């Protein structure tokens, strides 16, 4: 059975990798001032972060519509017997439920998987589903592979500044969660279908050290699939991936900028790593 894979742009998969893996990316929507932008399509990340700092305009985000997913499923089914759609964690976005609604029109030929993660945490789930697709006996086999990876996946990240969360109006909830003043560099994890607070270091270096500690601990389970994503801090991201490659047994490594949607509320300086054994 030929199975195609669809995912949303919050997966942060590089376009060339998605294309070579036959993964269709459905863009999320970013409203930047008066402009409505397709995430990952209409504005390169570097240009977006520069504008975010300089223009100080309101920013909001939303997921694809039912119609957007329906169109992606129809296109995928022109060359496949079934579709597996992997989406950003349902506890942070309604995108998963929107995809489920769209899938109802396809008589069981489309299955939707909650990645329980974001950024490359979601991206790896989609990528492994695509790798399982060509040899799959049926849709259930691809769904099972995607769900197994989602279960093992961890994505940890650190935020460099609260300024953009404050602008977006989301700072109060995060501060209540962190319980600390604005000068910290909090480290959070998407793991096990929830967000965990991992630490509240006061320096960037210590925050990055904590990311490495989390990856190192996971490597006890075996060689890891490793990915690093960054919001306009490419040098730090390159240094982090090289450090991880030198210290951690790994199967593969990826590095990519956060799409504008992923950094819209947190601003530049976000650095994260996704990994699973």
């Amino acid at each position: 059975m030929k199975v195609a894979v669809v995912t949303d742009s919050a997966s942060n998969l590089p376009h060339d990798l998605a294309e070579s893996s036959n993964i269709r990316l459905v863009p999320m929507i970013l409203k930047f001032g008066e402009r409505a932008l397709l995430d990952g399509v209409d504005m390169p990340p570097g240009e977006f972060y520069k504008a975010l700092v300089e223009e100080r305009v309101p920013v909001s985000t939303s997921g694809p519509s039912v119609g957007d997913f329906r169109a992606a499923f129809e296109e995928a089914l022109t060359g496949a017997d079934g579709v597996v759609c992997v989406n950003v964690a349902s506890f942070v976005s309604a995108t998963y439920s929107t995809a489920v609604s769209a899938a109802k029109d396809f008589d069981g030929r489309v299955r939707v998987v909650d990645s329980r993660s974001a950024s490359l945490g979601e991206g790896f789930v989609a990528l492994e589903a695509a790798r399982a697709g060509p040899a799959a006996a049926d849709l259930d086999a691809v769904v099972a592979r995607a769900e197994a990876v989602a279960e093992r996946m961890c994505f940890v990240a650190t935020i460099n500044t609260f300024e953009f969360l404050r602008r977006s109006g989301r700072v109060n909830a995060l501060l209540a969660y962190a319980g600390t003043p604005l000068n910290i560099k909090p480290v959070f994890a998407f793991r096990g279908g929830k967000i965990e607070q991992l630490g509240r270091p006061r320096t960037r270096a210590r925050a990055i050290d904590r990311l490495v500690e989390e990856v190192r601990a996971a490597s006890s389970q075996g060689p890891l699939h490793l990915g690093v994503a960054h919001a306009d801090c490419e040098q730090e991201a390159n240094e982090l991936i090289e450090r991880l490659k030198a210290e951690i047994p790994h199967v593969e490594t990826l590095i990519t900028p956060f799409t504008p949607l992923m950094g819209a509320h947190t601003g530049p300086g976000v650095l994260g790593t996704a990994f699973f054994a």
Side-chain angles (χ1 to χ4, degrees), residues 29-38 42-43 48 55-60:
I29 310 301
L30 176 72
K31 189 170 183 183
F32 187 61
E34 297 301 314
R35 289 170 284 179
L37 307 173
L38 294 178
D42 290 336
M43 184 181 286
F48 169 76
E55 296 185 24
R56 303 183 66 86
V57 297
V59 179
S60 61

Side-chain angles (χ1 to χ4, degrees), residues 111-137:
R111 299 279 295 279
V112 183
V113 174
D114 183 350
S115 73
R116 308 172 75 189
S117 192
S119 184
L120 286 176
E122 175 190 356
F124 270 128
V125 176
L127 192 59
E128 288 300 298
R131 289 167 172 167

Side-chain angles (χ1 to χ4, degrees), residues 17 75 82 85 87 111 129 135 140 150 163 172 195 197 221 241 244 249:
L17 178 59
E75 181 182 0
C85 179
N87 292 114
R111 299 279 295 279
D140 286 343
E163 176 186 354
N172 289 339
I195 299 178
Q197 180 190 335
Q221 304 168 33
I241 197 71
L244 293 174

Side-chain angles (χ1 to χ4, degrees), residues 4 66 137 236-237:
V66 170
E236 285 182 313

Side-chain angles (χ1 to χ4, degrees), residues 21 30 33 54 73 93 95 103 108-109 115 124 127 134 151 166 173 208-209 239 258 276:
S21 304
L30 176 72
E54 295 177 354
F73 298 158
S93 171
T95 302
R109 297 178 69 196
S115 73
F124 270 128
L127 192 59
E151 182 67 27
R166 185 168 56 241
I208 293 173
D209 285 344
E239 291 170 355
F258 281 112
F276 74 99

Side-chain angles (χ1 to χ4, degrees), residues 137-154:
D138 52 29
L139 272 175
D140 286 343
V142 181
V143 169
R145 175 58 181 161
E147 290 180 341
V149 175
E151 182 67 27
R152 301 177 206 165
M153 180 59 58
C154 184

